[in-house]
Amino acid sequence: MSSLAVRKAAPAAGTTPGTAQGPPLRRRIALVPTVTLLLGALYCLLPVAWVVVASTKSGSELFSTFTFLPGTGLADNLTDLNAYRDGVYWQWMGNSALYAGLGALLSTAVSSVSGYALATYRFRGREAIFNVLLAGVLMPPVILAVPQYLLLAEADLTDSYLSVLLPQILSPYGVYLSRIYAAAAVPADVVEAARMDGANEWRIFTRIALPMMIPGLVTVFLFQFVAVWNNFLLPYIMLSDDEKFPITLGLHTLLEQGANTPALYTLVITGAFLAVLPLVALFLVVQRFWSLDLLSGAVKS
Amino acid sequence: MTDTARRKAYGVKGAPYAHPSPTTTLKRARSAPYFFLLPAGVLFALFFALPIGYAIWLSFRKVQVSGLGLGSGARKEVWAGLRNYTDALSDSELLNGALRVLGYGCIVVPVMLGLALLFALMLDSEKVRLAPFTRLAIFLPYAIPGVVAALLWGFLYLPDVSPFYFVLDKLGLPQPDLLDGGPLYLALSNIAVWGGTGFNMIVIYTSLQAIPAEVYEAAKLDGATPLQIALRIKIPMVAPSLVLTFFFSIIATLQVFSEPTTLKPLTNSVSTTWSPLMKVYRDAFGEGDIYAAAAQAVIIALATLVLSFGFLRAVNRRDKQEATR
């Protein structure tokens, strides 16, 4: 109410002639953006809302009752999912957490040292190294994944945790973001002062630069976590033992089998619902720590 | 700050001593960046450079079978010249896949970036309500894996499950098959649009926020309407982020793989060679012809590079023309 009163009061005290017939016009204009955004939000939330409801339905309810009518089968679905192949579903979730957690951690470590070096030192070949790393972004995953598979097969590493973990540690985009962030957050004179005081280069990095880079590195970590968690192609190519599958690949194989056994559809849906939860929770918890603007390469210094 | 205090703050241990001579500092600093870049360099060599080189090498090789192909010496790898490349370029399956992805991209890129720009402008407009909530809701699909997104939408496309068909049925309207023919492109595009709009919206919205408020004040004093401000000021000023999002969208489109692969079990219309990358996968792991697959992968990589650099050059040239105008 108070905001309405303020808005009504504003034109009364209006100083510019242009706003004389302000309130009705302004309110109509503010309505368009709000409604547009709400429609966008509705579109984006629709499949998520659907999977929440659908996971409560039993197999027969799924195909017979109205889509957004909650069913009665949630407990049974969870029990079935839990029982499916001795709880292999939870193994997939654990694997995804391992690939994404450890992978993103290592990736952030590599990105931070590389980004720091590229941002603070002037050395021969700096731009060349940076450009070669960046070209990695442009490489289609398949041109990498097929020979990566063949090379890892030579080393007897295919179908192992390492085959999914190792190729994802170096993230060109992560290095790029770290470089931008280090350049904005680590002042050159602070580095120089520490150097004058006799601190060695490694110590300058770990004790001075790294703490300054933490907010940016949180973003790099989350970005890489999402990238690994969402990756499908690499594990699809590397793994054959389904005990090592991440959740994306696990759900894909469940759906593939569901094409022949529709009873598995309720498992797929319940599994998809549970798989969406951790990342949505992660997003809601960390959104205040995550500087989304960094994703576009913009840094306020 | 005293010298000792500063040394303590930086975690320098040991007794104070004379500053090292500038030359030692310089020398140390000269080799330091290379040490810092060592892990990235090793990983790049092992997981980027080596595979790319190996793929190029394989693309010029083939297996020659002598006799009946039995025995250990009957199959050997020989030089194939450009044979794999000529085969790939005259392969109608690969060409059709490329055309399908082209059609798909012509829907995805404009719709996704158009919506992203629209939502970013709406978020940036004055007096908009519920902005934090809608911003998060539209960004949310970014957190959902492509496979899961395709799976969710796949079910929403199934007539027995979908609310859309339910509504169409109640209204007595015809029910199109979303997983076949032309509508299949729309169905697949929708998944990509749904997944990518939020990320691009954030990129554009961020650069909108960077525009100084004085610019708007001046325009308002001149009597510009919000629509005019959006079209004449905001969109031109965020052109660089539009270029960036366009660039990444093209690359992502060329590499579409997981969405059609996931929809495949739900319909017979998605073949194993629907997109070029799916064909590479099938040839390498389904048919076991890694040489043909390598040549196709190299062609796709080259096409990506040519398209992306061509795009960047076109943008740069236009920028220069505008600057000289």
Side-chain angles (χ1 to χ4, degrees), chain A residues 104-116:
Chain A
L105 202 64
L106 292 170
S107 180
T108 310
V110 172
S111 294
S112 65
V113 276
S114 319
Y116 168 75

Side-chain angles (χ1 to χ4, degrees), chain B residues 30 38-39 105 135 139 164 250 263:
Chain B
R30 209 177 287 157
L38 198 63
R135 191 176 72 151
F139 186 61
F164 312 123
I250 296 178
L263 279 191

Side-chain angles (χ1 to χ4, degrees), chain B residues 85-140:
Chain B
Y85 285 93
T86 51
D87 281 354
L89 290 172
S90 57
D91 185 336
S92 62
E93 260 185 331
L94 190 69
L95 184 71
N96 287 335
L99 289 175
R100 275 190 287 264
V101 165
L102 190 70
Y104 162 86
C106 284
I107 307 173
V108 172
V109 176
V111 173
M112 180 171 70
L113 296 186
L115 279 180
L117 178 63
L118 176 74
F119 291 144
L121 285 171
M122 296 289 136
L123 274 178
D124 193 54
S125 60
E126 280 179 359
K127 292 193 175 173
V128 60
R129 298 273 169 267
L130 297 166
F133 162 73
T134 51
R135 191 176 72 151
L136 193 66
I138 296 171
F139 186 61
L140 188 74

